[in-house]
Amino acid sequence: MSSSASNLHAKVWSIELILDARNKSLNVQKRKWHSAFVAIYCSRAFLKPPVPKDININTKLLSRSPSYTTISVDDSVSVPDANGFRIDQTRLTELVKAKDLNQLQELGGVQGVGEALETDVEHGIHGEDAEDILKRIEAFGSNTYKRPPKKGFLHFVWEAFKDLTILILLGCAALSLGFGIKEHGLKEGWIDGGSICLAIILVISVSAISNYRQSIQFDKLSKVSNNLQIEAVRKGRRQQISIFDIVVGDVICLKIGDQVPADGLLLDGHSLSVDESSMTGESDHVEISITQNPFLFSGTKIADGYGRMLVTSVGMNTNWGEMMSKISQDTSEKTPLQARLDKLTSSIGKVGLAVAFLVLSVMLVRYFTGNTVDENGSKMFNGSKTKVDDIINAIIGIVAAAVTIVVVAIPEGLPLAVTLTLAYSMKRMMADNAMVRKLSACETMGSATTICTDKTGTLTMNQMKVTKFWLGKESVEEEAYSSISPYVLDFIQEGVSLNTTGSVYRPSLDSKIEISGSPTEKAILSWAVHDTKMDMEKVVKSCSILHVEAFNSQKKRSGVLIKRKADNTVQVHFKGAAEMILAMCTSYYDASGIVKDMDYNEKMNFEQIIQGMAASSLRCIAFAHKEVPAEEQVEGDQKVVLKEDGLTLLGLVGLKDPCRPGVKKAVEDCQYAGVNIKMITGDNVFTAKAIATECGILRTGQDMFGAVIEGVEFRNYTPEQRMEKVEAICVMARSSPFDKLLMVQCLKQKGHVVAVTGDGTNDAPALKEADIGLSMGIQGTEVAKESSDIVIMDDNFASVATVLMWGRCVYNNIQKFIQFQLTVNVAALVINFVAAVSAGQVPLTAVQLLWVNLIMDTLGALALATEKPTKELMEKPPVGRTAPLITNIMWRNLLPQALYQITVLLILQFRGKAIFGVTDKVKDTLIFNTFVLCQVFNEFNARKLEKKNVFKGIHTSKLFMGIIAATIILQVVMVEFLKKFADTERLNWGQWGICIGIAVISWPIGWVFKSIPVPEKSFISYLKMMKHKSNI
């Protein structure tokens, strides 16, 4: 017995040793299985009788015992892994990236992967369970990407420091600081150089803060634009979730135009093809099927069909995630207006450099010829008697003055003003339901002359409801549905349930039915469920789908081939635009369920029914079917083509989609602003006319000849005919995306600036071709959004009109600032040049000129570039594509102001000392103070380019008033409290009154000169015309 016990102990120990080989790496559950195995083995060993010693066992000949079987177990599938699931991320990633069908089969197909991920492939994950979501994120990561590090504030400070004029000024300041301390000691010697340094630091700080804030604004907009809404199935319910909330195991619904939000496997789908050009660069679409190629990649686009996918990898575990993490958001995009302003800045800068060089030359000549005197009237240069340090200090002062003139002359505020106004308008447009994707669209929209708009969802509310149902030639009221032949009703319910991309969900018998899908699909499903008492789940289970022809915007219909399980008959069902389906029918069901032939006269009767519904602004949808004979049925791998003739009409439904409230007013506002509105729709011509009249695009009693056409008619015109007739067209019905593209091209050739709205994938070419592409945020596909410049978040035409107004506001604000900036530039340059040439000194010091530069460049830009749009902007015609930036009106406004400032300041420069009986220091302070206050008062004039009343609406411009108040307070501080820094003297109340009195005269000057009419054509265009005539 002891021998048996020792043998048993040895055997158990051996088994323990073998099993312990992997024991250290086992988790709790595996260790439990390990203990259970040892217990079972031991109990069997105790019960088994001992082997007699005299039996010789040849272990080499010992055959396998029939009492057990070796089972090969794959740990990654059968036993939960360390992440809590039966498959790890590495294997999932490799599976999809390698498109490994063999490995997929080993895992039990897509169904097996779903089980390993604890996903019910029909009902999705338990989305309401936060623990389940968190568990998946911990195991497989979140659907977010690592972004390149953002540019910090110091980056923008460094960028501002790299400006050449700033570097020269810093060099001058350093030299001035060094020589000043050497000559006057630290207590007094730092003031001149230190003042310039402080002024430079202030200018750089304001510039860096503005650019940094703009960068933050772009990042925020980028996050909003990337936050796509995806349709997922969770706990059996279809729901919209953020793309960032998708987790591995989610079941995602995909349709044409969608972006694939993560890597995954196709669960089910029909006619699905994917555009993988964003990943591979290949333009050919890739067919996706459950058997041959079920692999879907993040970032690709659904080109056709629809389906459901199982998510296997998210975020940084996808190729798309790796690519996105290396791409930084480019915020340095140059808009056309910015490019034009760069040229203007360059031209003004060249003039400034020329003036500065002249000032430098004159002042150096005057200094070295002994014509420059100091405060006491003594010559500053006396040949060899003058100290080297004094000569260097004088030269530094002259160079600093010349460089500062360049700083004032170069309108650095122009790019800043454009950046500020674009960033401000983008932020405000976001609040007005318009998300700008491309900066250039902000300004281009102000020049739009034509807007081509969709009907459904843009002019109408996209809240459809079935209000009419025709069976045969009779209109069936809701209470009479029970009298419809059950045989016909079954066909209608099959056509609705199986030929749809929508879904019906009911958690329990007591709960409310939830219907999802496009507005059209939801309306039809709602009608079938509530009015015809359709049980969608029952209908779907009673048939199997053999083939689907997804909705096509050119054919304007969708079809499905099904097999009834009850009788094995094969049926084809079509649904689509009423007149398109009618053309495919040769018979129809009457109200009693009898099939009747449809001859020419009967077809005309149906066309009249359709036209009658369309004239009542109803969208007409028809249902038709046909039983496919056994000999025509396709078997095996043969390509399925749905029969498109010999159909039997099942019925017609009319969907009411009311116009949006306020859309008529928005259309009228655009028309009043000189912008043509054209409606391009896929609906029939009668529905289009009714809606266009209701919206104000067509006027009651208007001659419809040439104003309303169908897409096919426009398409068949010759290029010459299209160019001749395109401007007269107001409504184009039954149009295809190609027709829309054709119209945009024609309008652009005619010189129009065209804005186009679109929501479908096929609208992408027209959106790209247009000057401004406007996609719809709710109904728009991701392909349409990516092709557009602005996304209209609420799909409302009134928001399009708001975008138009903001576009004009951007352009108008830039013009206001240019007028203000040029007034300062002209005045500062002339004053400094005349004073330098005649007196050998500039009245405004480097620090004072830098302060003026700060007021006009930064604070002025902030005040004028953030003005809100007014109704006055919509009273003027659109600004032409090539219209000059500086108009005759602007020249009329700025030249009198500049001349007034030059005259007054030169009088103060040469006669101020005698007129007011003051010292040179007080006189220079009077010039500086008057100059700054003139700019402050002129800012009010710049608010309105044409209107005399510059104070209208000023109470609403809190930012403007705040900046004006801040400027005045800072100016008082500069003059009264920073004497050494600003090189000024304190002024008494009388002297302040003189400065304000001189400055305030700019208001009546502006009022008087705005009364003078000016020609619309610019002076330069007249010169060009004269030159052209002389050449002839």
Side-chain angles (χ1 to χ4, degrees), residues 231 238 253-256 270 305-308 495-504 515-522 525 536 545 548-551 558-559 575:
E231 192 172 25
R238 279 195 186 193
C253 301
L254 300 170
K255 60 182 183 300
I256 186 168
H270 300 284
Y306 60 91
R308 295 187 313 138
V496 172
S497 296
L498 303 167
N499 188 12
T500 183
T501 53
S503 69
V504 176
I515 298 172
S516 61
S518 70
T520 305
E521 296 285 5
K522 282 163 75 175
L525 285 171
M536 186 164 174
I545 296 174
V548 171
E549 187 182 280
F551 179 81
S558 61
K575 174 184 76 180

Side-chain angles (χ1 to χ4, degrees), residues 215 278 458 539 670 679 858 873 977:
S215 174
S278 59
T458 309
V539 176
C670 290
M679 186 175 89
T858 310
L873 292 169
F977 303 103

Side-chain angles (χ1 to χ4, degrees), residues 772-928:
I772 312 104
L774 304 161
S775 65
M776 300 296 114
I778 299 170
Q779 288 302 312
T781 61
E782 290 312 312
V783 173
K785 288 176 189 175
E786 284 199 4
S787 302
S788 67
D789 305 304
I790 297 173
V791 180
I792 306 299
M793 305 300 283
D794 61 350
D795 292 14
N796 193 343
F797 185 81
S799 297
V800 176
T802 305
V803 169
L804 177 69
M805 192 159 67
W806 270 109
R808 292 190 173 192
C809 181
V810 167
Y811 201 87
N812 190 249
N813 284 349
I814 298 300
Q815 286 188 315
K816 289 175 188 177
F817 181 70
I818 290 171
Q819 178 185 297
F820 172 68
Q821 174 104 55
L822 288 178
T823 307
V824 185
N825 283 16
V826 171
L829 283 175
V830 172
I831 291 159
N832 277 306
F833 177 71
V834 172
V837 171
S838 59
Q841 282 183 312
V842 286
L844 301 171
T845 66
V847 173
Q848 289 170 355
L849 283 172
L850 283 169
W851 169 239
V852 171
N853 190 59
L854 180 68
I855 291 171
M856 68 178 187
D857 273 8
T858 310
L859 298 179
L862 198 61
L864 294 170
T866 53
E867 286 273 288
K868 294 177 184 176
T870 59
K871 290 182 180 178
E872 294 164 8
L873 292 169
M874 300 295 274
E875 293 172 4
K876 295 185 288 185
V879 179
R881 196 191 295 266
T882 56
L885 266 177
I886 307 172
T887 62
N888 286 350
I889 289 167
M890 291 165 68
W891 284 118
R892 177 200 65 190
N893 294 342
L894 76 88
L895 287 175
Q897 295 290 346
L899 285 170
Y900 169 68
Q901 290 179 24
I902 291 164
T903 306
V904 169
L905 295 176
L906 286 177
I907 289 170
L908 285 174
Q909 170 68 16
F910 295 108
R911 310 298 299 169
K913 193 174 174 183
I915 293 168
F916 299 109
V918 292
T919 63
D920 283 326
K921 200 83 169 178
V922 173
K923 178 202 73 176
D924 288 344
T925 305
L926 282 170
I927 291 171
F928 169 57

Side-chain angles (χ1 to χ4, degrees), residues 383-411:
S384 57
K385 293 178 183 178
T386 311
K387 293 178 183 177
V388 175
D389 286 359
D390 291 339
I391 293 170
I392 293 171
N393 273 340
I395 290 170
I396 288 168
I398 292 167
V399 171
V403 171
T404 311
I405 288 170
V406 175
V407 173
V408 175
I410 294 173

